[in-house]
Amino acid sequence: MPSTASAATWASPAWTWGYGEEEFLTLEFAGGDKLYVPVSLLQLISRYLGGDPDSAPLHKLGSGQWEKAKRRAMEKARDTAAELLNLYALRAARQGHAFAASDHDLDAFAEGFGFEETPDQLGAIEAVVKDMTSGKPMDRLVCGDVGFGKTEVALRAAFVAVSGGRQVAVLCPTTLLAEQHFQTFSDRFADFPVRLAELSRFRSPKEVAGALEGLKEGRIDIVIGTHKLLSKDVKFKNLGLTIIDEEHRFGVRQKERMKELRAEVDVLTLTATPIPRTLAMSLEGIRDFSVIATAPQKRLAIKTFVQPISDGLIREACLRELKRGGQIYFLHNEVETIRTMYEKLAKLLPEARIEIAHGQMPERELEHVMRDFTHQRFNVLLCTTIIETGIDVPTANTIIMNRADKFGLAQLHQLRGRVGRSHHQAYAYLLTPPNGAGVTPAAAKRLEAIQSMEDLGSGFYLSMHDLEIRGAGEVLGENQSGEMQEVGFNLFNDMLNSAVKSLKAGKEPDMNAPLAVTAEINLNQPALLPDSYCGDIHERLVLYKRLANCESGEELDDLKEELIDRFGLPPEPAQTLLAVHRLRLETRRYGIARLDVGPQAASIQFVPNPPVDPMKLIKLIQTRREYKLSGQDRLKIEKSSPTLEKRVELVRAFLGEMGLTRTAPINSPEFSRPGTNAAASAASHRDNVGGSLRAKRGNPGFSRPGRISPTVLNQHIPPSR
């Protein structure tokens, strides 16, 4: 199957039955082995996220490589969970400063914002103000696409802190961004008695010394700077808030210093890196998230063109922008040849005023160039990727990137975000070598992807595949990347979630069975969306995956209503599919590994040590003729159930008989003691009256990553949850 998600992580093996038409997903393993997974079991499969799909680690079916990789990842997830919970405990024990925010003063400050806040932006601002006034230490991460207004959230937070008599530190990854933030903060606080300072290489030693003295004595209210702010010689009299912009761009030492800051003051982090909702759920209560996903009003999508480089195209694109009084970024990311490119552009565009900016220029010269560009003293900036982070020039609405094939998807997205920051139509030209010479297949895919991401905010969602690992590293730390690479982001995240829950409950996570049991359910009749009901094969796969991702009966009901609304009343195969997923949710708490219900009988296989009362099972076998043991961990119910309704009723009746008197997790030590396996206890009771037992069968656990190959479904697997 052609797919962008060429490796999949999947669980227990599936089986094939011959009672009618069925759809399958084919997994191909190292060595060419194939496994067919029914679409009703799609919850056992998740998309591999761990870098380039072509370099995903494939394992041979039947080998022990995957089990070892999974165990290593689970051990790392356990250690990470313990570290996170320790951090949470420290934060909970520490009393933060409760700022007193005046609504009148906040409204007066908000009037200086020249735009109307978006709903997401207002939500983030309210969450930050609530955190700062609560008396609990704040550690909030605000995620939003480029140009969606994260800086305004930081400005409001800074105002609350300064109004409360505390100092604010704004930490930026680059000198240019620090300079821009300094200008923005200076403009917004111009009407208020607030003193600001900047610590960066744009400032003279005398200015830096004066700023340091002012911070120590409390004369400076807000300081904006680069990593210099983290040095030991920077002393604050009364620091109350630290704002970190693009934390992932800092190094390991700087991040360690940031951890120390988090133990002392409120911290607000801004990032354009998407943070998956599943990760946010895993870290619930440890770090707070706000997402700004709505674009500002009157913002237009950036028109993106991928073209071979030509003098005619460059001149046409530049003249179109110059004629409407705008400015242009021309990106040439080679300092050695940037002067040659300057001479070429000067000949090509005699009408333009061109200047150069790159990171190897003297500080004062670079500062002078950037300020002149901001004040429109020239109209073409020939630069390197120094402009990538946070540069905001509303009058610059055309960007031309030379050799765009050399940039990553995230970098292309960030660079394109330098334009289109006003109500004017913006253009991005991604130039490649003539005839595609030297462009790798991976680069061609990136360029195709960025060109398709023209809708506002689309980059935030569509680039998640490229950015999720970076986002995870930003929250969890870089040392998780190795294990995450081996098993994939989705599976590692599930392991982390499981470990956090176990440790919160005071239990040691089970290294051999790291994830909750998901029953394999076979109702012995076709369970699918027939072609006559939903004819689009791509849409069917999306619906199959959405059904598999339902985590509650309410979610399943909502999806059923959507199916009826879109396609009409579901036929019997679709009803069977819905019943399979509903039983999957209902049996999850009972430790059932496999459920096979046919017209004459039902077979139930338990996991080792299921969370059910063994005495109830013994009583059922003693008092009800239809209940029989067929193995140490298997129960057979000999009862006729010719229809779907009867089969579902049979299963629910059994679940009702068993109940749940034990509430501890299946994998907890309480259920690992000998003699607590319900089926085994019943089997032991039967042994006492002369019965015989087969050897206990091991838990198959999780199988190995395989490569999706062409067969029935021709669509990539959507991201889990």
Side-chain angles (χ1 to χ4, degrees), residues 28-40:
E28 184 178 344
F29 293 79
D33 295 332
K34 292 182 180 179
L35 193 75
Y36 298 91
V37 183
V39 291
S40 59

Side-chain angles (χ1 to χ4, degrees), residues 23-45:
E23 285 190 304
F24 294 84
L25 197 69
T26 302
L27 300 184
E28 184 178 344
F29 293 79
D33 295 332
K34 292 182 180 179
L35 193 75
Y36 298 91
V37 183
V39 291
S40 59
L41 295 175
L42 217 55
Q43 72 273 7
L44 303 178
I45 303 203

